[in-house]
Amino acid sequence: MSYKPRIAESPSVRLLDLKDKSKSYFIVASVEVGNTTTKCILTATNLEDGKTRLVKKTVSMTRDVRPPKPGEEVFGMTLNGVELTRESVAELVKNTLLGAVKEANLDIKTDVHFVVRSTGVVAGFDSPDEVGEFIKALADGCLMAGVPPNRMTPPMSISNIPDRFQKYSKLEKVIFDGAVASVTPPTGATGVEIVANEMEGELATAGIKEGAKWVDVDFRNPCISMDFGTTLDGRVISPDLPYAKTIGNFCGYAGAIPDAIIKGTGQVDSKKGTALDISDDKSLDGLALKLKGKTIHEYAEKILNYIIIEKVPKGRKRYGSVPVNSEAADAINVVLIGCDVGANGSDMDKLAALGAEIYEKHNMKLLFAVIDEVMGRVVQRLVKVAQDEGLVYEDTAIGVTGRAGITGNKPKLILKYLHELGINHNIDENVVFVDDGLARGAAVMARCMNSLGTTFNPLGGHREGKCILAQRIKLQNK
């Protein structure tokens, strides 16, 4: 059976239209410091149709952050051991943000309406609470770049929203109450107490909801979002109305798996190298995939033997290097689903050894085909755990974002393996692949904070259902 993945990519928008005051483009900067890459992505949401377009995307390698200066306190490190201080992260954020705005020919004070910051660098922290220090460093960098503080927090009243956007805001009817795209974070906690990268999971979920609009997939609730950056994040969402609950969280390794395999080839830096360092024109064609199918499967099985995917066992403080609190999750009925390689990456060297063997005996193209196969099966196993825990409904939509989930042949393989789980008979129509889920999510979060929803094209509510504005008003007026 041939699967046709629905892959959402945002069209761009002309500078002329952005500067045109008669057109209602709400411009948001998303600044994300990840384990591998640091990005600033500028998006513009047309409030007439509720669709988000790409303005500018700048990407740099996080490993190029300046080293700590004397007297600076190292508060964490990336998965590859790059040391970070509050000052060095702030400078990295400032330079990335200003660079993107300059390249887009925009002015940070007059043209950028909101800034959302996030981080995936959680593996180097000892507990979920330490992420707070990193968030402060991100805020420092935004302020140093000249972002007014009120462009990073929800407005207190409609008068705090720029004049030309006030007519689109529902702020006088509903206030921002913490739900982003009609999903509440794990209750009884900030979410950070459960898993250190919960905020990334929140943004990825919201971003996939927006991206799905471009490819005609209704990605409202219930849904499952998975973000395959270097580390894994994402959420399992219930079908409740008006707000759905977060009933599951993903954590552990994602892109770090292909990175480890690639490191074995000797073609990238043995400590800081990533799969991104190898050009991506390495896919085998259809015939070669068929001819080498048996070899690819055999190697994939060997790698998968070292990958553990399960409900995070009680008592674990860290899973796949990500700080977790399994007891807090248990107390509020949130299922933590983790992906590890050995215990907190103890078997990563085994993946590197297999990467070396595949590269020596075959070639880089076959190696990438093995990686695609492995990641397709990883997605299947993650969803299977959610299914076994009773978290998957008949109408659950599934969304994937992040480099280790949407590149190469992975989308087709993911559809194939999800189909095998028998979730629903039209798997193609219920699964979406989205680029830059976090940046899109930042745009959605900014809109939610400013109550800039589009009732005729809603992001919130139940799949196939109507806008939940009336239900929200009723709930808030109780």
Side-chain angles (χ1 to χ4, degrees):
M1 183 176 171
S2 176
Y3 296 94
K4 289 194 175 70
R6 299 186 181 204
I7 303 171
E9 292 174 345
S10 289
S12 54
V13 58
R14 296 184 314 161
L15 180 65
L16 207 61
D17 289 334
L18 292 179
K19 295 279 190 182
D20 185 344
K21 294 286 188 263
S22 67
K23 294 190 172 159
S24 302
Y25 279 108
F26 185 67
I27 301 171
V28 176
S30 161
V31 187
E32 178 217 338
V33 179
N35 278 287
T36 303
T37 56
T38 291
K39 297 177 187 170
C40 179
I41 300 178
L42 293 162
T43 56
T45 302
N46 183 337
L47 296 177
E48 293 285 347
D49 65 10
K51 284 188 170 180
T52 300
R53 290 156 176 84
L54 182 69
V55 178
K56 192 73 208 169
K57 173 177 175 176
T58 59
V59 183
S60 59
M61 301 306 277
T62 306
R63 64 188 176 215
D64 297 333
V65 66
R66 70 156 173 79
K69 289 180 181 174
E72 290 181 357
E73 188 185 336
V74 174
F75 65 68
M77 55 181 69
T78 69
L79 211 54
N80 291 327
V82 178
E83 291 185 323
L84 303 167
T85 69
R86 184 163 170 175
E87 295 83 358
S88 69
V89 169
E91 278 179 40
L92 178 67
V93 167
K94 177 189 124 182
N95 295 336
T96 306
L97 183 52
L98 286 175
V101 172
K102 187 181 176 186
E103 278 184 43
N105 293 311
L106 296 174
D107 183 291
I108 199 154
K109 285 189 167 68
T110 56
D111 296 326
V112 178
H113 305 119
F114 215 82
V115 178
V116 176
R117 58 215 185 276
S118 64
T119 177
V121 185
V122 293
F125 300 116
D126 292 326
S127 73
D129 305 337
E130 287 189 14
V131 179
E133 192 65 19
F134 203 115
I135 299 296
K136 287 177 198 161
L138 298 177
D140 291 347
C142 293
L143 293 169
M144 282 159 60
V147 177
N150 65 355
R151 304 246 173 114
M152 293 190 277
T153 54
M156 299 308 288
S157 73
I158 200 152
S159 60
N160 298 123
I161 293 174
D163 291 350
R164 65 191 170 111
F165 300 132
Q166 288 182 11
K167 65 176 179 178
Y168 299 102
S169 177
K170 315 288 186 294
L171 197 59
E172 290 177 323
K173 294 177 180 176
V174 282
I175 54 162
F176 176 63
D177 50 13
V180 176
S182 83
V183 181
T184 54
T187 43
T190 57
V192 169
E193 290 167 28
I194 295 170
V195 59
N197 55 2
E198 159 58 27
M199 185 190 176
E200 274 208 305
E202 176 172 62
L203 290 175
T205 308
I208 295 168
K209 282 175 181 279
E210 190 284 319
K213 297 273 185 196
W214 293 98
V215 287
D216 212 23
V217 173
D218 187 350
F219 193 79
R220 287 180 292 162
N221 310 323
C223 57
I224 292 174
S225 61
M226 289 174 280
D227 177 10
F228 289 86
T230 305
T231 51
L232 171 68
D233 61 80
R235 287 172 157 187
V236 185
I237 307 296
S238 76
D240 301 322
L241 283 167
Y243 295 145
K245 297 184 186 77
T246 301
I247 51 177
N249 272 118
F250 295 104
C251 61
Y253 293 116
I257 292 170
D259 290 350
I261 297 167
I262 289 289
K263 279 174 190 168
T265 66
Q267 298 300 298
V268 300
D269 186 284
S270 62
K271 281 197 170 63
K272 298 176 185 176
T274 73
L276 286 175
D277 296 331
I278 306 278
S279 64
D280 54 5
D281 58 345
K282 298 287 180 191
S283 297
L284 287 173
D285 59 38
L287 182 63
L289 279 172
K290 279 190 178 131
L291 292 172
K292 300 282 186 183
K294 188 166 179 282
T295 310
I296 292 164
H297 279 281
E298 282 170 2
Y299 276 120
E301 283 303 325
K302 285 181 184 177
I303 291 167
L304 287 160
N305 284 337
Y306 295 111
I307 299 172
I308 300 155
I309 292 172
E310 61 185 349
K311 179 181 176 181
V312 174
K314 276 186 188 170
R316 289 288 291 267
K317 296 282 176 255
R318 196 178 272 278
Y319 198 92
S321 294
V322 175
V324 295
N325 186 332
S326 49
E327 281 84 3
D330 226 39
I332 59 170
N333 294 320
V334 172
V335 177
L336 281 182
I337 301 170
C339 177
D340 209 340
V341 181
N344 289 313
S346 60
D347 283 341
M348 284 293 192
D349 56 337
K350 309 268 198 335
L351 301 196
L354 281 163
E357 184 186 324
I358 298 165
Y359 182 62
E360 281 162 23
K361 289 187 178 175
H362 302 277
N363 55 34
M364 194 61 84
K365 284 194 173 188
L366 190 108
L367 183 59
F368 271 95
V370 171
I371 287 171
D372 288 350
E373 183 73 25
V374 166
M375 296 316 294
R377 291 281 299 283
V378 163
V379 172
Q380 182 191 39
R381 286 168 61 186
L382 288 165
V383 176
K384 179 79 168 69
V385 174
Q387 197 178 25
D388 292 347
E389 292 293 325
L391 307 180
V392 181
Y393 303 87
E394 199 179 322
D395 55 348
T396 292
I398 296 172
V400 178
T401 188
R403 64 185 172 98
I406 63 171
T407 52
N409 203 32
K410 296 175 192 72
K412 280 186 180 174
L413 289 164
I414 288 168
L415 287 178
K416 175 188 163 187
Y417 288 123
L418 287 177
H419 178 74
E420 285 179 10
L421 291 178
I423 300 165
N424 54 46
H425 54 284
N426 276 340
I427 202 73
D428 303 48
E429 293 171 22
N430 293 283
V431 181
V432 63
F433 300 88
V434 173
D435 65 341
D436 299 322
L438 282 179
R440 292 170 186 272
V444 172
M445 181 177 261
R447 283 171 62 198
C448 289
M449 284 182 173
N450 289 274
S451 295
L452 292 165
T454 40
T455 51
F456 54 88
N457 190 12
L459 286 165
H462 198 283
R463 294 189 77 196
E464 311 282 322
K466 59 183 185 190
C467 174
I468 55 165
L469 180 63
Q471 287 169 274
R472 288 185 63 200
I473 294 168
K474 195 175 169 185
L475 185 74
Q476 291 190 359
N477 288 338
K478 273 186 180 175

